[in-house]
Amino acid sequence: MIIYHLSTECYPVAKVGGLADVVGALPKYQNKINGIDAKVVMPWYNKPFVSDHEFDIVFDGFIHQGPNMLQVQVLKEKSDTLGFELYLVRIPGLLDRDNPYGYQDENFQFLGFQHGVLHWLSAMQIRPDVLHCHDYHTALVPFMVENCPEFSFLKGVKTIGTIHNGEYQGMMSWEMADYMPGFDRYRWGLLDWNGLINPLASMIKCAHSFTTVSQGYLEELFTTFRGLESLVRYESGKAYGIINGIDAEVWNPETDPMLDFNFNPKNAVVQKKKNKKNLCKAYGLRPELPLFAFIGRFATEKGADLLPDIVSRSIKQSFGGLNIMILGSGNSYIENKLKEYDYTYTNFALDLGYKEHLSHQIYASADFLLMPSRVEPCGLNQMYAMKYGTVPIVSYTGGLRDTVQDISTGGAGINFTYPGVDDIIHAISRALMLYNQKGMMENLVHANMGFDFAWEKSAEKYIALYNS
Ligand code: ADP
Ligand code: GLC
């Protein structure tokens, strides 16, 4: 069975968040299953991975985007070291950028990507068994395959869409229809939601099946989905929640080259302390105090707007009895407020930016990882933390509720119901009590490291879905 994963991110080529981790791991684990050939197609970016690797040009052609004629090149990575074939689609002016997101003309960018991929496959008469589309950037593919004469060669190919984040749906005005590949205008209803072209809604309507990255998140979408609640309920017969895994080849504290001190469950307590000592030294924190960490995008869905209050209140209320470290970037108000607190509080350390190495060191050093998310379709941070013996403190939502169980009900993490400062401060005070209880942290480190978030199980579930 031949599967093409279509995505704007893929680790280690280009990563903004968890989407990259998933698309860099899922095909690799699918390929370990007999008879499966999973490949990844993504836009070309001006990234170190691209300049450091060799590529063959396997396609060179043109598409029409409205009045513009665009060159489309497809490059295949030569060495095949990722565990799957990697294809990059390059369109000068649209798909030759430094980063996946943040451009004013993203509608043209993502339309160009989807159009370019389908044009290449049709022109080269490549007919996969499954096109697996990830998030709204590739969500018009199920519609295009069935309704654009240019891709009639692909008609009938099975399409699956995975919703990693339903907060972003890619809505655009109907004027953009003129920049899509020509389609049967009679079928406009399959693109429309409330008077706009809504790619995510179109994917839910047109894909043979769609998935979310946890069962808990799927259930939430029935009632909270930025206007698509009735649609997802109507189409629920073809909806599945499949939890993400973690890539044990990248995220393994025993072999992770990004750690100062590697560890396994037997020596974790001692080695984690050594990592913590180094990290605290580098950031002027006190290694004898518990270390709470946050890693992520400064977005309201992550509860990042609560961070400044969490920092100041938890440090004041514990009389300076804890360290907090934050790694991330995003909303500039949050960044500035945290910078101010970085000067005010010696127990607080801030690193603004995206730092893969540092994130690994934090998971390995921290005692607790904070995730005050309002929306969390799956969440990978909590799983990485647990694998690295760090206790997750998470809001009870989406994938967090599916992966972290509170210590009071037999789990090894801490849940709070409402992502508000009071509840989080309460959760932190529970964490401090655990920290001060003799032998408790050792038990929690071991228990968290023992959870199994292997990709193998979820990769099998996707294959079963393709087969069905
Ligand atoms: P999302 O994709 O919504 O941002 P996830 O929990 O699925 O959330 O995945 C986030 C991924 O991005 C994890 O691999 C996490 O370690 C990483 N990450 C987030 N922010 C940073 C950062 N500032 N530096 C390094 N890695 C980060
Ligand atoms: C999205 C979600 C996150 C999920 C990731 C990978 O970015 O916000 O919760 O873990 O996709 O599926």
Side-chain angles (χ1 to χ4, degrees), residues 242-296:
I242 303 180
I243 193 85
N244 292 328
I246 62 180
D247 186 349
E249 290 168 26
V250 179
W251 295 94
N252 180 350
E254 204 157 7
T255 52
D256 188 337
M258 301 186 209
L259 303 188
D260 292 343
F261 300 96
N262 289 104
F263 55 93
N264 56 41
K266 281 197 191 120
N267 61 9
V269 172
V270 176
Q271 296 292 88
K272 268 181 77 76
K273 277 203 179 113
K274 292 191 201 162
N275 282 310
K276 180 177 170 186
K277 203 168 165 191
N278 279 3
L279 185 72
C280 286
K281 195 165 165 220
Y283 284 88
L285 298 172
R286 292 167 56 196
E288 70 282 8
L289 298 177
L291 174 59
F292 292 74
F294 172 94
I295 299 173

Side-chain angles (χ1 to χ4, degrees), residues 157-171:
V157 166
K158 299 290 182 274
T159 51
I160 303 262
T162 292
I163 302 171
H164 295 262
N165 196 338
E167 296 292 288
Y168 304 96
Q169 302 180 357
M171 278 132 19

Side-chain angles (χ1 to χ4, degrees), residues 18-19 22 164-165 213 244 297 301-302 376-380:
L19 172 63
V22 172
H164 295 262
N165 196 338
V213 285
N244 292 328
R297 298 180 284 118
E301 72 207 63
K302 297 283 176 195
E376 198 60 85
C378 176
L380 296 170

Side-chain angles (χ1 to χ4, degrees), residues 6 59 62-66 68-70 72 74 89 91 94-95 107-123 137-138 140-141 144 148 150-151 154 177-183:
L6 313 183
F59 180 73
F62 290 91
I63 58 170
H64 291 273
Q65 195 175 63
N68 307 317
M69 192 157 140
L70 305 174
V72 177
V74 180
V89 181
I91 299 181
L94 281 185
L95 304 184
N107 291 335
F108 294 94
Q109 183 185 339
F110 301 140
L111 280 179
F113 177 53
Q114 299 171 91
H115 192 161
V117 173
L118 297 181
H119 177 75
W120 157 52
L121 296 176
S122 306
H137 329 101
T138 58
L140 290 171
V141 163
M144 290 178 179
C148 297
E150 188 181 336
F151 314 130
L154 296 170
D178 293 340
Y179 297 90
M180 288 179 56
F183 61 91

Side-chain angles (χ1 to χ4, degrees), residues 15 17-18 21 296-297 302 327-328 353-355 363 379-381 384:
K15 170 169 168 177
D21 289 357
R297 298 180 284 118
K302 297 283 176 195
L327 167 63
Y354 188 91
K355 301 186 177 171
Y363 292 122
L380 296 170
N381 298 21
Y384 298 147

